[in-house]
Amino acid sequence: MRAGSPRLLREINDRAAIDALLRNGPLTRSELENLIGLSKPATAQLLTRLELDDVVRRDGLRGGGRGPRAQLWAVNGALAHVAAIDLTPDSVDIAIADISGTTLTEHHAPMPRGGDVLTAFTEAVGKALAEAHLNLSDLHHVVVGSPGAVDPATGQLGFAPHLPGWEGFDLPGRLTELLGTTVTVENDVNLVAVEEMIAGRARDVRDFVLIWPVDATGAAVVINRVLLRGATGGAGEIDWMRVPDLAEQDTGAGRQGDRYGELLSSVAVTRLAKAHGISARNALGAVTRALASGAAGREFLADLARRIASGVAGVVSVVDPELVLLSGEVAQAGGSVLCELVASELRRLVIPRTPVELALVGGQAVRAGALHSALAVVREQVFGLPTEDMLPPATRSSS
């Protein structure tokens, strides 16, 4: 063997053990041995070495009954901490976690509409850290999920006029200065797609498109399990496309072309529902009532599906994905009925017969995707574990 190979082999085995512990949680020595394929003595030596380096710690015992209880081992979560943040025009939703993935605290705070949003943002992060008994200096990486897209050349946020105060400067760079650690700003729908690849319906899918169809309309395009971001970061910003209104019921929308996001705004969807005799305060209420309204409800949902498909068709024609996923609370409310109607309309508009299904990950999907992304970055930095290509790239440093 060449010089240095025993050390290289130890590093490979150490990374394999750390990865197994991160993926599976606390393990006994024998469980770890089976997962990484080392002998009993080699696994024991590995655990001793990692414990001396404070990389792993003893984490209780497993078993009982007549036999001896086995020692459990876990990664030392205190080695690094991350923040995952879902930024909206009205609020921030923050999770602070350690490198093992354990969430230490969750913090929700309102955001001002314009004005000094950066100060409010920094204060919210500080309060979240205080709840976790941490300081800004304890943060190793932050991922922020935001509407719009960051231009990789300038760091400026675009496609987000509904986020006043956040545009016109290097956003990741400014946040890096304020928080004292590296920051990635990623499109919110992209992070939902990341979470679908990790824990949702796209775990075994190579190429797919995820659509957030109503209110803050957007899309994420994944090719060979890599997010497509585009030259200016604007891939998937279908909100700004001009499309004809294909709904059969006339609501005064532009038949020759209107902004896709405007056709699918909550106001526009509610107006469409009213034209079908369904009264609701917002799009979510309209879809929920439509499902219980018989023929009139079905006709409204079919018209809504025509609007959704009018924008999705262009993406499907170019990308020819394996799957289209509908995400967001309105899509969840429409369920399989809405998916089937959108799929039927797509078959009328384009050649690919792409299945349309409901995204599996709901709730705080943006924040969950941000957390997985932040953990991937710090685990590469601390342990040398490879970052999946699907995750956001290493962050811009402040200039």
Side-chain angles (χ1 to χ4, degrees), residues 269-342:
V269 172
T270 304
R271 188 180 298 124
L272 180 63
K274 186 176 181 180
H276 282 279
I278 299 170
S279 296
R281 297 179 62 182
N282 52 40
L284 177 61
V287 170
T288 301
R289 289 190 176 186
L291 289 170
S293 299
R298 183 79 178 191
E299 290 173 3
F300 157 65
L301 290 173
D303 259 356
L304 177 59
R306 291 183 185 101
R307 284 187 176 178
I308 293 172
S310 67
V312 179
V315 182
V316 169
S317 294
V318 173
V319 176
D320 188 17
E322 299 172 53
L323 180 65
V324 170
L325 290 175
L326 300 186
S327 186
E329 62 178 7
V330 173
Q332 291 289 333
S336 60
V337 172
L338 184 60
C339 288
E340 290 167 6
L341 290 169
V342 172

Side-chain angles (χ1 to χ4, degrees), residues 192-205 208 210 225 323 325 357-362 372:
V192 176
V194 166
E195 193 61 16
E196 281 294 325
M197 283 189 276
I198 293 171
R201 210 174 292 280
R203 281 176 291 186
D204 300 317
V205 180
F208 70 97
L210 184 140
R225 296 192 68 78
L323 180 65
L325 290 175
E357 297 182 13
L358 198 63
L360 191 61
V361 176
H372 276 117

Side-chain angles (χ1 to χ4, degrees), residues 190-256:
N190 279 354
L191 289 174
V192 176
V194 166
E195 193 61 16
E196 281 294 325
M197 283 189 276
I198 293 171
R201 210 174 292 280
R203 281 176 291 186
D204 300 317
V205 180
R206 303 300 301 179
D207 306 317
F208 70 97
V209 175
L210 184 140
I211 307 293
W212 193 287
V214 178
D215 254 2
T217 304
V221 179
V222 175
I223 305 298
N224 200 26
R225 296 192 68 78
V226 177
L227 281 167
L228 179 66
R229 293 184 175 83
T232 64
E237 290 294 339
I238 58 176
D239 181 289
W240 297 87
M241 292 192 308
R242 293 193 68 81
V243 298
D245 182 14
L246 300 182
E248 293 182 355
Q249 191 73 36
D250 187 8
T251 61
R255 294 294 181 178
Q256 301 303 315

Side-chain angles (χ1 to χ4, degrees), residues 35-55:
L35 285 171
I36 64 178
L38 291 181
S39 66
K40 179 177 178 179
T43 306
Q45 290 174 5
L46 178 150
L47 287 170
T48 299
R49 182 169 63 250
L50 293 179
E51 184 181 24
L52 287 172
D53 291 339
D54 205 26
V55 174

